[in-house]
Amino acid sequence: MQKKSFSTRDLLLICLLAALGLAIKPLVKTLTHLISTPLGIPGGTLGGGFYMMWLSLALAFTKRFGAATLVGLLQGIIVLITGWFGNHGALSLFTYTFPGLAIDLIGLLYKRYTKLDGQIIYCLLANLTGTWLVGIIIMSLPKAPLYIALGMSIISGVIGGALSYLIYKELVVLNLIKEKEEI
């Protein structure tokens, strides 16, 4: 039977992934806003796949329900406390946490944590969740721009999922992590 609690290693990985996700955000945000701002769509739409891949990697590394949610929640708390990366205020807790929850929930049904298709699906759904939340709740986008944003977030999610899969596999090849059996 698998343990239900997180090990110290798991918690350290969760913290590391949350930090990495926030560390790359300024670079990705700057590049994606060059395209998204003139189109009037959320910047996270294009860059979201690069943000969400860290959440999907949490599930791949730990294979524990709640890992992706914890990464998102930790990021949301840091953003709320520091005021970095936008002015969504307390809504940051939702816009950062719910994509991780989406990953964890789909991971209960689709247990392909370390496989390419799994990583793409997790990242894609997380990015759709984040785009939808920001588009509806924060930006109040009309239908047409929202649909464009959601379509772009699918593309970004697929790219982010493929990258998270490649990162995972490279870490296994380098023997920095041990590949666990799929459960």
PDB file of all heavy atoms in Angstrom, residues 19 25 55-56 63 80 89 94 103 121 130-132 136 139:
ATOM      1  N   ALA A  19       9.358  27.373  -6.482  1.00  0.00           N
ATOM      2  CA  ALA A  19      10.354  28.431  -6.666  1.00  0.00           C
ATOM      3  C   ALA A  19      10.780  28.555  -8.126  1.00  0.00           C
ATOM      4  O   ALA A  19      10.902  29.657  -8.651  1.00  0.00           O
ATOM      5  CB  ALA A  19      11.565  28.164  -5.774  1.00  0.00           C
ATOM      6  N   LYS A  25       9.049  33.108 -14.275  1.00  0.00           N
ATOM      7  CA  LYS A  25       7.892  33.918 -14.665  1.00  0.00           C
ATOM      8  C   LYS A  25       8.264  35.292 -15.233  1.00  0.00           C
ATOM      9  O   LYS A  25       7.666  35.697 -16.237  1.00  0.00           O
ATOM     10  CB  LYS A  25       6.926  34.054 -13.500  1.00  0.00           C
ATOM     11  CG  LYS A  25       5.570  34.507 -13.963  1.00  0.00           C
ATOM     12  CD  LYS A  25       4.502  34.165 -12.974  1.00  0.00           C
ATOM     13  CE  LYS A  25       3.175  34.489 -13.631  1.00  0.00           C
ATOM     14  NZ  LYS A  25       2.058  33.935 -12.982  1.00  0.00           N
ATOM     15  N   LEU A  55       3.904  22.464 -12.031  1.00  0.00           N
ATOM     16  CA  LEU A  55       2.856  21.798 -11.264  1.00  0.00           C
ATOM     17  C   LEU A  55       2.702  20.347 -11.708  1.00  0.00           C
ATOM     18  O   LEU A  55       2.556  19.449 -10.876  1.00  0.00           O
ATOM     19  CB  LEU A  55       1.525  22.537 -11.423  1.00  0.00           C
ATOM     20  CG  LEU A  55       1.345  23.829 -10.624  1.00  0.00           C
ATOM     21  CD1 LEU A  55       2.179  24.967 -11.169  1.00  0.00           C
ATOM     22  CD2 LEU A  55      -0.113  24.222 -10.596  1.00  0.00           C
ATOM     23  N   SER A  56       2.738  20.121 -13.019  1.00  0.00           N
ATOM     24  CA  SER A  56       2.599  18.745 -13.502  1.00  0.00           C
ATOM     25  C   SER A  56       3.831  17.912 -13.160  1.00  0.00           C
ATOM     26  O   SER A  56       3.725  16.708 -12.924  1.00  0.00           O
ATOM     27  CB  SER A  56       2.294  18.704 -15.005  1.00  0.00           C
ATOM     28  OG  SER A  56       3.315  19.269 -15.766  1.00  0.00           O
ATOM     29  N   LYS A  63       4.050  11.477  -7.324  1.00  0.00           N
ATOM     30  CA  LYS A  63       2.927  10.556  -7.565  1.00  0.00           C
ATOM     31  C   LYS A  63       1.944  10.573  -6.399  1.00  0.00           C
ATOM     32  O   LYS A  63       1.379   9.555  -6.019  1.00  0.00           O
ATOM     33  CB  LYS A  63       3.428   9.153  -7.857  1.00  0.00           C
ATOM     34  CG  LYS A  63       4.218   9.117  -9.148  1.00  0.00           C
ATOM     35  CD  LYS A  63       4.769   7.750  -9.421  1.00  0.00           C
ATOM     36  CE  LYS A  63       5.627   7.729 -10.659  1.00  0.00           C
ATOM     37  NZ  LYS A  63       6.697   8.702 -10.695  1.00  0.00           N
ATOM     38  N   LEU A  80       0.947  36.588  -3.197  1.00  0.00           N
ATOM     39  CA  LEU A  80       0.093  37.426  -2.363  1.00  0.00           C
ATOM     40  C   LEU A  80       0.913  38.225  -1.353  1.00  0.00           C
ATOM     41  O   LEU A  80       0.692  39.421  -1.167  1.00  0.00           O
ATOM     42  CB  LEU A  80      -0.933  36.551  -1.638  1.00  0.00           C
ATOM     43  CG  LEU A  80      -1.981  37.276  -0.804  1.00  0.00           C
ATOM     44  CD1 LEU A  80      -2.838  38.179  -1.679  1.00  0.00           C
ATOM     45  CD2 LEU A  80      -2.855  36.268  -0.075  1.00  0.00           C
ATOM     46  N   GLY A  89      -4.384  40.440  -6.219  1.00  0.00           N
ATOM     47  CA  GLY A  89      -4.671  40.403  -4.789  1.00  0.00           C
ATOM     48  C   GLY A  89      -4.962  38.998  -4.299  1.00  0.00           C
ATOM     49  O   GLY A  89      -4.317  38.028  -4.711  1.00  0.00           O
ATOM     50  N   PHE A  94      -6.490  31.719  -5.717  1.00  0.00           N
ATOM     51  CA  PHE A  94      -7.321  30.863  -6.568  1.00  0.00           C
ATOM     52  C   PHE A  94      -6.685  30.621  -7.925  1.00  0.00           C
ATOM     53  O   PHE A  94      -6.656  29.493  -8.404  1.00  0.00           O
ATOM     54  CB  PHE A  94      -8.719  31.479  -6.751  1.00  0.00           C
ATOM     55  CG  PHE A  94      -9.479  31.590  -5.471  1.00  0.00           C
ATOM     56  CD1 PHE A  94      -9.620  32.814  -4.840  1.00  0.00           C
ATOM     57  CD2 PHE A  94     -10.038  30.473  -4.881  1.00  0.00           C
ATOM     58  CE1 PHE A  94     -10.309  32.925  -3.659  1.00  0.00           C
ATOM     59  CE2 PHE A  94     -10.735  30.569  -3.692  1.00  0.00           C
ATOM     60  CZ  PHE A  94     -10.869  31.804  -3.068  1.00  0.00           C
ATOM     61  N   ILE A 103      -4.876  19.487 -12.025  1.00  0.00           N
ATOM     62  CA  ILE A 103      -3.899  18.428 -12.305  1.00  0.00           C
ATOM     63  C   ILE A 103      -4.109  17.251 -11.362  1.00  0.00           C
ATOM     64  O   ILE A 103      -4.152  16.094 -11.788  1.00  0.00           O
ATOM     65  CB  ILE A 103      -2.455  18.959 -12.189  1.00  0.00           C
ATOM     66  CG1 ILE A 103      -2.138  19.892 -13.353  1.00  0.00           C
ATOM     67  CG2 ILE A 103      -1.440  17.804 -12.132  1.00  0.00           C
ATOM     68  CD1 ILE A 103      -0.807  20.612 -13.234  1.00  0.00           C
ATOM     69  N   ILE A 121      -1.602  16.283 -20.980  1.00  0.00           N
ATOM     70  CA  ILE A 121      -2.986  16.458 -20.513  1.00  0.00           C
ATOM     71  C   ILE A 121      -3.019  17.260 -19.217  1.00  0.00           C
ATOM     72  O   ILE A 121      -3.838  18.173 -19.061  1.00  0.00           O
ATOM     73  CB  ILE A 121      -3.681  15.095 -20.357  1.00  0.00           C
ATOM     74  CG1 ILE A 121      -3.979  14.529 -21.749  1.00  0.00           C
ATOM     75  CG2 ILE A 121      -4.955  15.212 -19.527  1.00  0.00           C
ATOM     76  CD1 ILE A 121      -4.448  13.097 -21.764  1.00  0.00           C
ATOM     77  N   GLY A 130      -6.426  27.954 -15.495  1.00  0.00           N
ATOM     78  CA  GLY A 130      -5.892  29.269 -15.154  1.00  0.00           C
ATOM     79  C   GLY A 130      -6.375  30.352 -16.106  1.00  0.00           C
ATOM     80  O   GLY A 130      -6.754  31.449 -15.681  1.00  0.00           O
ATOM     81  N   THR A 131      -6.381  30.044 -17.392  1.00  0.00           N
ATOM     82  CA  THR A 131      -6.840  31.020 -18.389  1.00  0.00           C
ATOM     83  C   THR A 131      -8.316  31.339 -18.186  1.00  0.00           C
ATOM     84  O   THR A 131      -8.724  32.501 -18.238  1.00  0.00           O
ATOM     85  CB  THR A 131      -6.605  30.484 -19.815  1.00  0.00           C
ATOM     86  OG1 THR A 131      -5.203  30.281 -19.991  1.00  0.00           O
ATOM     87  CG2 THR A 131      -7.108  31.449 -20.867  1.00  0.00           C
ATOM     88  N   TRP A 132      -9.108  30.311 -17.951  1.00  0.00           N
ATOM     89  CA  TRP A 132     -10.534  30.525 -17.741  1.00  0.00           C
ATOM     90  C   TRP A 132     -10.779  31.380 -16.498  1.00  0.00           C
ATOM     91  O   TRP A 132     -11.581  32.321 -16.533  1.00  0.00           O
ATOM     92  CB  TRP A 132     -11.253  29.176 -17.629  1.00  0.00           C
ATOM     93  CG  TRP A 132     -12.728  29.331 -17.512  1.00  0.00           C
ATOM     94  CD1 TRP A 132     -13.626  29.532 -18.516  1.00  0.00           C
ATOM     95  CD2 TRP A 132     -13.478  29.312 -16.301  1.00  0.00           C
ATOM     96  NE1 TRP A 132     -14.891  29.636 -17.996  1.00  0.00           N
ATOM     97  CE2 TRP A 132     -14.835  29.499 -16.637  1.00  0.00           C
ATOM     98  CE3 TRP A 132     -13.144  29.140 -14.962  1.00  0.00           C
ATOM     99  CZ2 TRP A 132     -15.843  29.535 -15.684  1.00  0.00           C
ATOM    100  CZ3 TRP A 132     -14.148  29.178 -14.019  1.00  0.00           C
ATOM    101  CH2 TRP A 132     -15.484  29.365 -14.383  1.00  0.00           C
ATOM    102  N   ILE A 136     -12.402  35.037 -17.021  1.00  0.00           N
ATOM    103  CA  ILE A 136     -13.775  35.268 -16.544  1.00  0.00           C
ATOM    104  C   ILE A 136     -13.805  36.161 -15.307  1.00  0.00           C
ATOM    105  O   ILE A 136     -14.503  37.176 -15.278  1.00  0.00           O
ATOM    106  CB  ILE A 136     -14.463  33.915 -16.218  1.00  0.00           C
ATOM    107  CG1 ILE A 136     -14.661  33.090 -17.473  1.00  0.00           C
ATOM    108  CG2 ILE A 136     -15.785  34.132 -15.503  1.00  0.00           C
ATOM    109  CD1 ILE A 136     -15.715  33.607 -18.407  1.00  0.00           C
ATOM    110  N   MET A 139     -10.524  39.453 -15.755  1.00  0.00           N
ATOM    111  CA  MET A 139     -10.582  40.324 -16.931  1.00  0.00           C
ATOM    112  C   MET A 139     -11.991  40.499 -17.497  1.00  0.00           C
ATOM    113  O   MET A 139     -12.204  41.380 -18.327  1.00  0.00           O
ATOM    114  CB  MET A 139      -9.641  39.800 -18.010  1.00  0.00           C
ATOM    115  CG  MET A 139      -8.185  39.843 -17.615  1.00  0.00           C
ATOM    116  SD  MET A 139      -7.090  39.331 -18.934  1.00  0.00           S
ATOM    117  CE  MET A 139      -7.118  40.775 -19.981  1.00  0.00           C
TER     118      MET A 139
END
